[in-house]
Structure formats: structure tokens, C-alpha cells
Amino acid sequence: MAIQITGDPDADQVLTDDPFALLVGMMLDQQYPMEHAFRGPAKVLDRFETLDPRRIAEADPEAFAALCAVPPAIHRFPGSMAARLQALAALVVDEYDGDAARLWQEADSGRELMRRLTALPGFGKQKAQIFVALLAKQLGVRPAGWEQAAGAYAEPGYRSVADVVDPESLQKVRDHKKQMKAAVKRS
């Protein structure tokens, strides 16, 4: 199945083709519009000419941060996100021999997948739950107990990037997030 999150077919193809790109997009999805965050890996690929975690981890931090800050930047905080991206790449190299897909392919349960995800730089519980739901809903990665691990994000609806498959569903997710923020303000 082709990922369709960004509204840019080329950027979506990068996410579809490269598990590390999908992981990076999820990492970048904070304090930044989701479709822009998930375009970040394509920007890195275009500028750095590879998404190989080894090469990213070994890159000169200042040069890599500068590359990530070139307009349009990979994130509204390109310097800190470049450092986090390099830390993520290093962990994928150290723990999974540079193969990001092993992170979920070798997880024997939803609980194990959550443990692995929350160990990643920039992945707290909620982001890990959303990524579990994304893997399950869009890539068919469903280890035993994934629904419990993903929590409400496993349910049908339009709660997160896990539910974005086209421009219409992106708008529904935005509307849901807006409603949630309004509810928090009212309480």
C-alpha cells in the first residue's frame, strides 16, 4: 500500500519505499503540520542524497544541521531536529544494524513494539501509539496486542496521521485535533 500523507506524490513515495523515512517523518511530527513533517525525509534525501542511517549518523553535525535548515527547512526547529535525526539514525544503526523495518518486523507483540518505539529519540508514549496505529492501519503490521498498545489510535476514525490516506482524511484529522484542543480549552 502506498503512503499518502504529504500531498506530494514524490515525498509520499519516499515514505512508502523507505522504512527509515517513515520513522523520520513520525519523529518530525511535532509542533509542525503533519504533512510538512512527513515531507522532511524527502528533503533530506534530496539534499543529502541518501537516507542511509549510517551515513546520516556519521555526518558532520554542523553540516547536517545546515542542510536541514535550507529553506524549506525540514522542521520549524531544524537544528534541534537535525540533531535528533542523527541520534535516531545512530540508534537504528546500533540496535537494528541500520534496518529501521527490523524495529517492527522483529517485535513479537504490541507491547514489545511500544517498548522499542519509546526508546527512540523524540518518541514518547503518544507518538509511539500513533506509529503503532500507522503501521497497523497502513502497512498491515499487526503484532499480537497492537490494538492495546495503540490505545484509542487503533479505533476507526480520524484521530491521527495513522488515519490519513488522502486529502479528505487529512482534513478530518485536522478537524478532530481542532475539536480536541477546543475541548481542552473549555475544561
Side-chain angles (χ1 to χ4, degrees), residues 2 13 29 38 50 59 62 64 70-72 74-75 91 107 110 125 128 140-142 173-174 181:
Q13 194 62 53
D29 187 16
F38 280 89
T50 183
E62 287 184 24
F64 191 74
V70 170
I74 66 163
H75 194 273
L91 190 145
K125 180 182 177 188
V141 175
R142 297 181 174 120
V173 168
R174 284 209 175 134
K181 285 181 183 178

Side-chain angles (χ1 to χ4, degrees), residues 48-61:
F48 195 61
E49 299 179 352
T50 183
L51 284 172
D52 177 7
R54 279 178 181 40
R55 297 256 323 271
I56 290 172
E58 294 169 354
D60 174 80

Side-chain angles (χ1 to χ4, degrees), residues 1 9 14 38 160 163:
M1 178 176 196
V14 171
F38 280 89
S160 72
D163 303 306

Side-chain angles (χ1 to χ4, degrees), residues 90-161:
L91 190 145
V92 167
V93 169
D94 293 344
E95 298 290 323
Y96 303 101
D97 198 30
D99 183 357
R102 285 183 53 202
L103 204 147
W104 52 86
Q105 290 171 344
E106 296 175 1
D108 60 3
S109 68
R111 179 177 289 199
E112 173 66 12
L113 181 53
M114 279 293 291
R115 185 194 65 72
R116 290 170 176 228
L117 290 170
T118 56
L120 300 175
F123 278 72
K125 180 182 177 188
Q126 183 178 26
K127 186 173 288 202
Q129 287 180 306
I130 292 168
F131 198 70
V132 169
L134 174 69
L135 291 170
K137 291 179 175 183
Q138 297 203 31
L139 299 180
V141 175
R142 297 181 174 120
W146 78 267
E147 297 97 334
Q148 292 80 11
Y153 298 105
E155 298 170 9
Y158 299 96
R159 289 178 174 77
S160 72
V161 70

